[in-house]
Amino acid sequence: MSFGVLMAEDGPTGLVVHPFWVLVSIVNFLVILFLLRRYLWGPILTVLANRAEKIREGLAMAEAAKIERERMKAEVERLLADARRDAQAIAERMTKAAEAAAADIRTQAKAEADRIRERGRADAKQLHDQALAQLRSELAGMVVLAASRVLGREVDPEKHRALIEQSLDEAAPQLTEQS
């Protein structure tokens, strides 16, 4: 049946719908639909579902990482604040310790200076007393010698020395007030 034979028939020449070909087309469509669904659409949906699940997991992991990062950032800030407080406390303790040590050193230096000053005063008083005693002794000897020459005779040196030292002892407070 060629095209020309179909035209030669006595019948309508318009669009004719044959039920057999409609049924064949429906069966072809259903077979293709089944094959596409089984071998193409199913794996595509599985791949898309797997991909969507991986994306959800990635987003959840990213959110968890963000929360962990924020927690770690807060922990680092807390540790830094603790370290700053500890450093400040150590600095204050060291400053107080240095001030206490300086005050202790000043106190020790003052005590040592006072002790040296008192020792110097005691040494000076001792030297002064020794010089006075030596001066008295020499003065008494000179007075006895002068008296013996003035009198022209020998004077008992021990009696005169005792008398002169007694006089000097009585006059010593007046001499020390004047000097």
Side-chain angles (χ1 to χ4, degrees):
M1 297 192 63
S2 71
F3 186 67
V5 174
L6 284 175
M7 297 287 279
E9 288 182 12
D10 288 332
T13 60
L15 184 61
V16 178
V17 176
H18 293 289
F20 174 76
W21 292 114
V22 170
L23 188 63
V24 168
S25 295
I26 291 174
V27 170
N28 279 338
F29 178 75
L30 291 176
V31 168
I32 289 175
L33 182 64
F34 173 77
L35 290 174
L36 286 175
R37 201 168 245 232
R38 176 144 180 112
Y39 296 108
L40 186 64
W41 193 251
I44 288 175
L45 287 179
T46 304
V47 167
L48 288 176
N50 289 342
R51 193 165 185 198
E53 183 62 30
K54 285 181 182 179
I55 289 171
R56 273 189 231 102
E57 288 175 3
L59 289 174
M61 287 173 33
E63 187 65 29
K66 181 180 177 183
I67 291 170
E68 181 66 16
R69 186 181 72 233
E70 292 297 324
R71 187 190 65 76
M72 290 182 127
K73 184 178 178 183
E75 181 69 17
V76 165
E77 290 297 324
R78 185 187 64 77
L79 289 174
L80 283 174
D82 288 348
R84 285 186 189 111
R85 271 195 310 273
D86 290 346
Q88 184 66 28
I90 288 170
E92 288 174 6
R93 281 196 311 259
M94 290 299 121
T95 302
K96 287 178 183 176
E99 289 173 356
D104 188 39
I105 290 171
R106 280 192 291 269
T107 303
Q108 289 176 355
K110 186 173 191 262
E112 181 69 17
D114 289 345
R115 187 181 61 78
I116 290 171
R117 190 177 307 122
E118 287 302 316
R119 189 173 31 154
R121 284 183 185 151
D123 289 347
K125 178 147 178 52
Q126 182 183 6
L127 288 173
H128 180 263
D129 290 344
Q130 285 176 354
L132 276 178
Q134 186 178 4
L135 185 61
R136 280 182 185 177
S137 173
E138 289 178 13
L139 185 62
M142 290 164 101
V143 167
V144 169
L145 182 64
S148 66
R149 286 194 183 174
V150 167
L151 293 175
R153 60 187 169 106
E154 184 70 28
V155 181
D156 184 19
E158 288 302 317
K159 287 183 182 178
H160 278 90
R161 185 179 292 268
L163 182 62
I164 292 170
E165 285 186 11
Q166 181 184 358
S167 298
L168 287 176
D169 285 338
E170 290 173 1
Q174 292 175 355
L175 292 174
T176 54
E177 289 177 6
Q178 292 175 357
S179 56

